[in-house]
Amino acid sequence: WIKTLRPVGSGDYLLEENFISPRNKIDFHDVTMVTQCSVNHLKHLPELASRWAGPMSIAVFILGDEVHLARRLIKQLLQCSNVLSQRTFFHLVHVASQINAGGKTVHLGDPPGDC
């Protein structure tokens, strides 16, 4: 699976926007909680989701080869949390200098699951 990543900010970071989109249709007139975290803080998202009734947009900061771990953990969270899977957008933010494919295109392993 090959994905083109979009440079953001000064170009030091590459965004994999909408890595996962919610299963439910989102009312974009609703207020969306926007937050970010690193891979080691993904475990806190189910509690956050239980306290917020609206849509969520979460940017996950990826260092080096954490992309495979991040994808696996997000997939597991979605399988275990109906709330997260129904109303959360996940975006992956990569450090451009740590991408081996010239900073624009990268092989990201298997595509995300149905969740």
Side-chain angles (χ1 to χ4, degrees), residues 77-94:
L77 282 172
L78 294 172
Q79 290 171 349
C80 297
S81 173
N82 199 34
V83 173
L84 280 174
S85 67
Q86 289 181 354
R87 51 178 211 245
T88 305
F89 293 89
F90 281 93
H91 318 282
L92 302 183
V93 180
H94 304 263

Side-chain angles (χ1 to χ4, degrees), residues 5 8-17 19 35-43 45 57-71 73-74 89-99:
L5 306 177
V8 292
S10 62
D12 293 335
Y13 302 97
L14 300 170
L15 177 64
E16 185 179 349
E17 194 169 11
F19 161 67
T35 190
Q36 55 80 34
C37 69
S38 55
V39 174
N40 61 325
H41 289 285
L42 285 169
K43 63 186 174 199
L45 295 179
S57 180
I58 301 171
V60 182
F61 187 72
I62 306 293
L63 289 174
D65 61 356
E66 287 180 340
V67 66
H68 299 293
L69 174 62
R71 293 167 70 83
L73 290 174
I74 291 168
F89 293 89
F90 281 93
H91 318 282
L92 302 183
V93 180
H94 304 263
V95 177
S97 64
Q98 296 178 359
I99 299 289

Side-chain angles (χ1 to χ4, degrees), residues 25-40:
K25 186 175 185 315
I26 298 297
D27 178 5
F28 287 101
H29 297 287
D30 203 355
V31 175
T32 300
M33 176 193 292
V34 177
T35 190
Q36 55 80 34
C37 69
S38 55
V39 174
N40 61 325

